[in-house]
């Protein structure tokens, strides 16, 4: 689920893990009711099989040092890991730099969320032990110029682009690690 749907997905995964065993919490509104769903996750007898959490670094307000939605997503991740879920096998996490709380941002992260949540591949043995998978979106002219300079320095053509159908080239670490 996305936003309030992400909140509902986490609540369903905690309340009925045998029915809702795979949870996607994209930009989840975990702040509702003083973060009650995180407290429920901490106390739950059964947990979902797989939990995908993602959030954009600009949700909802980039002026805070750490926006509350980012902090809440990190806290849910930490509670899941504290309950014995394994990062990369049971828990996936994506904090997308520069992304806001909108459907187009969620759409860019959807492929990785679905591949992780619906797949059975254990990434815990294939990935570094970092607790966050972060993408650096290349938007705008300055980002393209930096990329062109880097490619020229590496001896590659300055304006080489990844094929449009190759999502792995555009979506970073998670997509490269998943089939």
């Amino acid at each position: 689920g996305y936003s309030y749907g992400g909140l509902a997905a986490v609540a369903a995964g905690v309340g009925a893990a045998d029915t809702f065993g795979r949870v996607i919490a994209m930009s989840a509104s975990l702040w509702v009711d003083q973060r009650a769903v995180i407290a429920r996750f901490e106390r739950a007898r059964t947990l979902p099989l797989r939990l995908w959490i993602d959030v954009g670094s600009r949700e909802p307000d980039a002026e805070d040092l750490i926006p509350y939605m980012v902090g809440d997503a990190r806290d849910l991740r930490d509670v899941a890991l504290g309950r014995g879920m394994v990062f990369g096998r049971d828990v996936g996490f994506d904090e997308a730099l520069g992304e806001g709380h909108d459907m187009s941002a969620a759409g860019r992260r959807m492929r990785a969320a679905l591949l992780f949540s619906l797949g059975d591949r254990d990434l815990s043995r294939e990935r570094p032990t970092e607790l966050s998978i972060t993408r650096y979106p290349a938007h705008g002219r300055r980002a393209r110029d930096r990329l062109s300079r880097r490619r020229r320095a590496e001896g590659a053509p300055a304006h080489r682009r990844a094929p449009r159908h190759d999502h792995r080239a555009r979506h970073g670490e998670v997509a490269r690690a998943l089939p």
Side-chain angles (χ1 to χ4, degrees):
Y2 170 77
S3 193
Y4 282 108
L7 172 69
V10 174
V14 169
D18 54 334
T19 304
F20 300 101
R22 294 170 186 256
V23 173
I24 297 175
M26 299 184 78
S27 302
S29 296
L30 302 170
W31 53 268
V32 170
D33 197 18
Q34 286 87 37
R35 302 167 21 120
V37 75
I38 297 174
R40 284 182 57 205
F41 199 97
E42 226 168 351
R43 296 187 313 267
R45 290 193 308 191
T46 58
L47 298 174
L49 296 172
R50 290 198 116 166
L51 171 65
W52 174 266
I53 307 161
D54 78 24
V55 65
S57 67
R58 296 178 55 91
E59 294 190 44
D61 185 2
E63 293 181 20
D64 292 336
L65 181 61
I66 299 175
Y68 65 87
M69 289 184 76
V70 173
D72 291 348
R74 290 176 182 176
D75 288 347
L76 178 59
R77 174 201 63 199
D78 294 345
V79 166
L81 296 175
R83 292 287 317 270
M85 295 179 83
V86 176
F87 184 76
R89 185 188 73 199
D90 310 318
V91 177
F93 183 83
D94 184 4
E95 188 175 310
L97 294 179
E99 299 266 279
H101 191 78
D102 58 78
M103 290 304 291
S104 60
R108 286 187 289 274
R109 301 189 307 257
M110 182 59 72
R111 180 177 185 272
L114 290 171
L115 286 171
F116 179 83
S117 300
L118 300 178
D120 290 320
R121 188 166 168 192
D122 181 357
L123 299 177
S124 65
R125 297 189 176 134
E126 300 175 34
R127 304 272 313 130
T129 58
E130 66 192 39
L131 292 181
S132 157
I133 299 169
T134 308
R135 286 179 282 138
Y136 297 87
H139 296 294
R141 182 178 176 163
R142 286 187 297 175
R144 282 193 305 271
D145 290 345
R146 282 192 307 271
L147 184 59
S148 293
R149 283 192 302 273
R150 190 181 81 210
R151 285 187 175 145
R152 277 194 296 269
E154 294 171 354
H159 297 290
R160 189 186 84 211
R161 289 188 172 172
R164 280 207 164 285
H165 66 279
D166 188 358
H167 297 288
R168 290 173 295 181
R170 294 187 317 193
H171 289 292
E173 295 296 322
V174 173
R176 278 198 295 274
L178 295 169

